[in-house]
Amino acid sequence: MRWLILIGMVFLSAMATAKSVEGVNLPEKISLAGNELVLNGAGVREKFFFDIYVAALYLPARSGNAGKILQTDQPWRMRMDFLYSEVDKEKLDKGWEEGFEANVADASLPALHDRLQKFKAMFVTMHKGDEVHLDYLPGTGVRVEINGEEKGVVPGADFARALLSVWIGSEPVTRSVKKSLLGG
């Protein structure tokens, strides 16, 4: 009987520490290079009524203030779990470019151009079940990991801020994803 109680407690504890979005289980806490990050929020990126991916934002502490998040030089992870059967690399590239152009001041874009090209080169056509981690570590840059394989690092806090603004900037990929990532 004790074993059943223990198993039940472990099961309930596991349920309390994870969130499921469209069948993707997201831990409430992760460790990133010795930093504990918490799930700030998660939502589904939709386009033309199709679910494209689950986006999940991890931060050192929960915050609903996009401006503060973008201005604080702190570690973060953006996790993307693809739901759609196939997202073509060219469409991904176009999406990154549009996201940067919509959220970065025109005067700052030239300084980011080469790093954005390096970032885009790390991606391939994505498929349902693919998982991407975009990890920012202050002083290092944004590490790109696809399906558990590190693809490279793009340096600069300015690049990290521009990248994160694609989801939580003034012109996010969608307002609903921004609201979800900010805990709404």
Side-chain angles (χ1 to χ4, degrees), residues 14-92:
M15 287 181 56
T17 60
K19 178 178 183 174
S20 181
V21 177
E22 292 296 320
V24 175
N25 293 321
L26 303 166
E28 284 291 330
K29 295 180 182 180
I30 62 165
S31 179
L32 178 61
N35 300 285
E36 184 174 281
L37 305 181
V38 296
L39 180 61
N40 199 67
V44 178
R45 164 65 165 115
E46 297 175 338
K47 190 164 186 171
F48 305 122
F49 306 105
F50 293 103
D51 293 345
I52 307 301
Y53 60 82
V54 171
L57 176 61
Y58 289 87
L59 300 170
R62 286 186 177 90
S63 174
N65 185 328
K68 182 179 176 185
I69 294 167
L70 290 169
Q71 293 308 312
T72 304
D73 193 26
Q74 63 186 352
W76 53 258
R77 169 176 284 172
M78 176 59 70
R79 175 176 164 171
M80 302 166 67
D81 288 86
F82 283 81
L83 303 171
Y84 196 67
S85 58
E86 182 176 286
V87 181
D88 190 73
K89 178 187 174 19
E90 286 75 29
K91 288 184 181 179
L92 283 171

Side-chain angles (χ1 to χ4, degrees), residues 103-128:
N103 289 286
V104 176
D106 289 343
S108 299
L109 280 172
L112 298 170
H113 180 267
D114 289 345
R115 289 177 284 163
L116 178 56
Q117 298 311 310
K118 177 181 177 179
F119 176 78
K120 291 185 327 184
M122 295 179 199
F123 285 84
V124 296
T125 295
M126 304 303 292
H127 298 91
K128 183 176 183 170

Side-chain angles (χ1 to χ4, degrees), residues 9-18:
M9 289 174 61
V10 168
F11 179 72
L12 289 174
S13 173
M15 287 181 56
T17 60

Side-chain angles (χ1 to χ4, degrees), residues 32 35 37 72-78 133-143 154-161 163-164:
L32 178 61
N35 300 285
L37 305 181
T72 304
D73 193 26
Q74 63 186 352
W76 53 258
R77 169 176 284 172
M78 176 59 70
H133 292 173
L134 304 172
D135 296 333
Y136 174 63
L137 296 167
T140 299
V142 176
R143 179 180 62 198
V154 180
D158 59 339
F159 180 84
R161 197 169 26 260
L163 179 60
L164 192 54

